[in-house]
Amino acid sequence: ELVVNTLGEMDPIDDRLMEKTQAGGQGCLLGYNTNHGLRIDLKLRTEDLQGFRPYPDLVSTLIHELSHNWVGEHNLLFWTNYAQMRAEYLYHHVHSKILVKGKTTARIAGLSGSITKQNICSVIMQELVGEMQQHGLHPNMIQQPIQQRCQELDLKYAATAEQEQRLG
């Protein structure tokens, strides 16, 4: 259901965006969504242009910007949608058995060790504390739909694992 016409790289030293962000007190701008997915730009490179931002940060920013395809404002509906999409992303990688050059997709995505099948919901809730606080909100306000989505994903992946065992 998500459509992005253009995915672009944000200029890491674009003074106009930095001034706008700093004036709004939002900190460092890492991406933006124009017209509900007509164009999404992400800041891929570090400020010194010597490398790329960490993959987990890029993914979180992309999920954030994709959430703006449905909801423009940083309200409870936005954060609920973001958290549910984040849960889908984490569940997919933590449960994936796909190997790329001998590494799991969770390891490639920087998730190995820190995130397990059992703690995904609490990890998301913890991540949301700082992000939502900037907008005067707290994740406890949307805890129930996040837990519900995690329970749905638990059931989905448990059924998939059971089916794989029967076939294997």
Side-chain angles (χ1 to χ4, degrees):
E1 297 176 29
L2 293 168
V3 176
V4 177
N5 290 328
T6 303
L7 180 61
E9 180 180 5
M10 214 173 105
D11 183 352
I13 52 176
D14 187 337
D15 293 332
R16 292 169 295 159
L17 289 173
M18 289 304 129
E19 288 173 14
K20 177 182 173 188
T21 305
Q22 290 169 354
Q26 296 176 7
C28 183
L29 185 67
L30 299 176
Y32 55 90
N33 182 321
T34 305
N35 292 331
H36 301 283
L38 182 63
R39 180 179 178 93
I40 289 180
D41 289 274
L42 301 177
K43 187 187 289 187
L44 301 177
R45 300 174 195 276
T46 56
E47 299 299 327
D48 62 7
L49 304 176
Q50 298 301 307
F52 291 97
R53 294 187 169 284
Y55 182 81
D57 294 350
L58 294 173
V59 169
S60 292
T61 302
L62 179 58
I63 294 171
H64 180 106
E65 297 309 328
L66 287 170
S67 296
H68 282 302
N69 279 20
W70 286 300
V71 183
E73 298 297 316
H74 290 105
N75 58 23
L76 291 177
L77 181 59
F78 170 85
W79 289 110
T80 301
N81 183 56
Y82 168 80
Q84 290 173 340
M85 287 176 46
R86 181 87 172 123
E88 290 176 32
Y89 170 80
L90 294 174
Y91 270 87
H92 173 77
H93 284 295
V94 169
H95 288 83
S96 177
K97 293 179 175 46
I98 296 171
L99 296 177
V100 179
K101 295 185 180 180
K103 296 179 183 176
T104 64
T105 62
R107 185 168 177 204
I108 293 168
L111 304 175
S112 58
S114 61
I115 298 177
T116 65
K117 298 172 185 178
Q118 292 76 29
N119 74 353
I120 290 175
C121 191
S122 60
V123 165
I124 292 169
M125 291 295 290
Q126 190 62 41
E127 289 175 351
L128 289 174
V129 171
E131 295 181 43
M132 290 178 69
Q133 188 175 32
Q134 297 175 35
H135 304 282
L137 302 170
H138 194 277
N140 287 346
M141 303 164 99
I142 58 171
Q143 186 172 7
Q144 185 177 0
I146 296 169
Q147 288 174 332
Q148 182 178 350
R149 184 63 184 138
C150 288
Q151 290 168 353
E152 291 168 358
L153 292 165
D154 279 337
L155 293 173
K156 173 186 171 183
Y157 283 98
T160 302
E162 184 179 317
Q163 185 179 15
E164 287 175 356
Q165 272 187 330
R166 278 187 275 142
L167 294 174

